[in-house]
Amino acid sequence: MTFEGRSDMPDAPIRAYILNNPAANPITGQYVEIGWATGSNIPQDGNDTAPYYDWSITSNPIASSQWPSGGIARFRVDGQYNGSPYLQPMATFDDQGMLCLMSHEDDPWRDAGNVCRSPYGTYDEIITVVSNATTPDDLHPVDYLGYGGDHQYFPEDHQDPNDPQSPLAGWTPEDFEQDTLDYYDAIDAPENLDDFKQRHGFPSGEVRAIYYNRGDLGIGRDMHCKKYTPAGQPSVTACYVTNYGRVPNGAQFTPSFGSPDPQLAINQTIDGSNPVATVAMVHDPSNVDNPVQFIVYNGGGDKDPYAALDNPGVVALGHTSEPTHANINVPDNCLTCHGASATYTRGPGASIQGAAFLPFDEEAMVFAQFNTTWSKSKMVPRLKRLNTFVWDTAPPQAVLDLLRGMYGGTPNGPKDVNSAFTPSYVPVGWQTNDVSERVYTEVVKPYCRTCHITASSVKDWDSWAEFQGEADDIRKTACDHGLPGGAPLQHPASTVWRTPMPQAEQTQNLFWKSSARAHLVNALGLTTACAP
């Protein structure tokens, strides 16, 4: 590691340290020296009466025990400054620091430094760095999509089906196929995609959008939605989205989530070549048992009890021979995000209460670069219209609040004619200070909110205080392979791990390859190495 900075004293001695045990408390834990240097004696103009003197340290090799691959390391730099004869901890700057300093280039350099230093209070003298070299999926099989919906079969303690001591030992997706068939009967699901289109009158009145869903699935999507009013009935919203993203696999093309080039997947979507499957959703308030409904049709258009929403799901559907216990059962996998706190009653007359349509977030999408018909400028107005449909599906309050915020805070969000998408939106409950706003934009917004807005009021995370209140559970579920209450994720005989948050494979990989964990542990004061 290379550390650079400045002191107001010439020839200042500088020392760099690392927290020797990455899982120790970063405030009280033991730091060991990994490099030293003497600062410059050549003064630089600091735009005030006090010049500054540059320094730079390149550390000794860092042991894997001090910084596990994919985990977090904590550093500290001590030096002489402000006339002191003693070494003192120096201020640190995060990835926003340089932009901040440039915006204050006409200010005295020490004033600018105080304004632009890391906002994390107690941690503003500690440098927290994330390794993105390794994700959990790189080291061991991971089963995703285990939360959400009814937890009878995917229980809170997530006991592993590969553990012979687990009540779920030996289960396969087929064990729950009858649940899906009962559910399809309960909602009178059309037998094939053509029947679904005919029942709801597609393509008349539809809004269509094509994009790559980067945020949570990593596939190309051809979205069709419409709203209509049957005679004597309340309005119905119906959508179907055909998913694309296949890569060569020997003589065939295999569905792949997250790995296809976005433009390749978009081209497949535009061409309609090799669809993976189609997912349909309906909001019909006249159906009190199932006001929001889910149906999956396979690549051939036939009704299917299974849907792969990640690469383990592709394995479970038989595209490879590796064993997996992926959650491919409909509607269980749908409810992970579309109903994080929904209630799913199984069996004949199956019912789902609390499911929801989700907002279309253009920041989580990639658009066609080489086809003007489906370019971002053409899709943005359509996404706004799609969000008006979501608004009218009686979603949870958190969804309505997000739609309002995404469209400039206007009372009716996307339904206000003059409203425009506002990427900088931060909810009022998160506008507490620099720390809370940074956590929202760096962590919650890209990796959490899409699903948590369908959770219960204590887990929809509409405020910084609410998020802080779950700090320990967040540490367990996002970093330490544990669960609320402390249950371990890996049983002794297990070969399958569940790192439960974020729940989707694409989102989890993006999360682990970002700086989000550094912001998370600093803001919440977490003691963890957060390693896969």
Side-chain angles (χ1 to χ4, degrees), residues 425-432 462:
Y425 164 67
V426 175
V428 172
W430 285 86
Q431 295 176 21
T432 305
D462 58 358

Side-chain angles (χ1 to χ4, degrees), residues 332-375:
D332 288 288
N333 52 0
C334 307
L335 293 174
T336 301
C337 204
H338 284 274
S341 296
T343 300
Y344 173 23
T345 304
R346 301 170 187 268
S351 173
I352 294 176
Q353 301 295 320
F357 279 62
L358 294 171
F360 292 85
D361 181 359
E362 66 181 65
E363 283 196 286
M365 301 173 181
V366 178
F367 300 94
Q369 293 180 351
F370 310 110
N371 186 307
T372 56
T373 301
W374 304 103
S375 65

Side-chain angles (χ1 to χ4, degrees), residues 256-315:
S256 183
F257 291 79
S259 58
D261 175 83
Q263 295 304 318
L264 174 63
I266 288 173
N267 289 341
Q268 292 180 9
T269 308
I270 293 171
D271 296 340
S273 57
N274 297 312
V276 175
T278 298
V279 178
M281 284 185 67
V282 176
H283 174 249
D284 182 357
S286 68
N287 188 331
V288 294
D289 293 325
N290 289 284
V292 174
Q293 304 162 14
F294 306 91
I295 313 162
V296 168
Y297 299 99
N298 61 26
D302 296 320
K303 187 170 63 177
D304 198 322
Y306 306 119
L309 300 179
D310 49 35
N311 290 304
V314 174
V315 175

Side-chain angles (χ1 to χ4, degrees), residues 408-433:
T410 52
N412 294 309
K415 301 196 77 172
D416 288 333
V417 175
N418 295 321
S419 65
F421 187 82
T422 308
S424 60
Y425 164 67
V426 175
V428 172
W430 285 86
Q431 295 176 21
T432 305
N433 51 46

